[in-house]
Amino acid sequence: MAKQLDYHTIREIFTRFQAVDPEPKGELDHVNAYTLVVAVALSAQATDVGVNKATKELFKIADTPEKMLALGEEGVTEHIKTIGLYRNKAKNVIKLSRILVDDYGGDVPNSRAALESLPGVGRKTANVVLNMWWQYPAQAVDTHIFRVGNRTGICPGKDVVAVERAIEDHIPVDFQQHAHHWLILHGRYTCVARKPKCGVCVIRDLCQFEDKTE
């Protein structure tokens, strides 16, 4: 684990990220808050590309909890069976849809506690929805952010909660809204797990990773 970088270095890092990609976006396809919740819940232990392929047709016929309930568990299963853990995920999609209809009038709540109470929705999923749909500067820490945060010294921590707290505590407030997207994309395409592409990294000179590649 690298040591925590100082404020000025972190500001420079995110200034560079912003220059390359001023408005980073999540890569899960969705058409409203409900389909975003479902897509993020389905993305656990699956790739965004795989989820998007599975939901392309699903969301055409079921883009509200009411329509998803009408489709039923078996119908959902048929659409998402290319995704890992699809049977359990189909059950959760139906359960969370029922709760949204019964308890929230079919709307997606915008509080972390309410989101986390939905089946298949954990803290990470709740934070993604809060950030992407409600524009709340919540930080959804996944394996990419955990790796980048600890490798670079931007937001080191022993677990995802510690890394989330480090982001909130050390990344300047004007970069908070897009921070987790910049970090995810950096980890997904440049600071990859096995052979990081340090030769083309825009923050190579600021990063504390000792085993930089050429």
Side-chain angles (χ1 to χ4, degrees), residues 21-57:
D21 189 359
E23 293 286 333
K25 304 293 184 186
E27 297 184 322
L28 285 171
D29 294 337
H30 59 283
V31 296
N32 53 29
Y34 171 70
T35 53
L36 178 59
V37 171
V38 173
V40 181
L42 293 177
S43 72
Q45 297 180 307
T47 65
D48 288 0
V49 172
V51 172
N52 289 340
K53 285 181 180 178
T55 59
K56 183 178 181 180
E57 296 303 318

Side-chain angles (χ1 to χ4, degrees), residues 159-175:
D159 54 44
V160 293
V161 175
V163 171
E164 181 182 328
R165 190 171 296 119
I167 294 173
E168 294 172 346
D169 289 347
H170 297 286
I171 293 175
V173 67
D174 46 319
F175 295 120

Side-chain angles (χ1 to χ4, degrees), residues 169-201:
D169 289 347
H170 297 286
I171 293 175
V173 67
D174 46 319
F175 295 120
Q176 287 278 333
Q177 178 63 47
H178 295 313
H180 95 274
H181 279 132
W182 279 315
L183 291 169
I184 286 173
L185 295 171
H186 188 63
R188 186 173 288 167
Y189 298 111
T190 303
C191 194
V192 295
R194 294 191 177 182
K195 292 184 179 179
K197 302 172 184 177
C198 302
V200 297
C201 178

Side-chain angles (χ1 to χ4, degrees), residues 24 26 33 52 61 71 78 83 85 104 109-110 145 167 184 191-192 195 214:
N52 289 340
I61 59 176
L71 183 61
E78 271 304 302
I83 302 175
L85 308 174
Y104 298 99
N110 62 349
I145 293 183
I167 294 173
I184 286 173
C191 194
V192 295
K195 292 184 179 179
E214 294 303 321

Side-chain angles (χ1 to χ4, degrees), residues 34 37-38 41 92-100 118-119 121:
Y34 171 70
V37 171
V38 173
N92 283 335
V93 167
I94 292 299
K95 287 179 182 176
L96 72 83
S97 298
R98 172 54 61 194
I99 292 171
L100 289 176
L118 299 173
V121 176

Side-chain angles (χ1 to χ4, degrees), residues 110-160:
N110 62 349
S111 83
R112 182 183 283 116
L115 287 166
E116 285 190 56
S117 72
L118 299 173
V121 176
R123 186 177 182 86
K124 176 190 150 192
T125 298
N127 281 346
V128 171
V129 175
L130 289 171
N131 183 286
M132 289 180 63
W133 193 259
W134 305 108
Q135 283 74 57
Y136 180 79
Q139 309 302 334
V141 178
D142 67 353
T143 55
H144 296 302
I145 293 183
F146 188 78
R147 179 176 66 256
V148 171
N150 280 293
R151 220 180 231 179
T152 62
I154 295 172
C155 46
K158 293 181 179 180
D159 54 44
V160 293

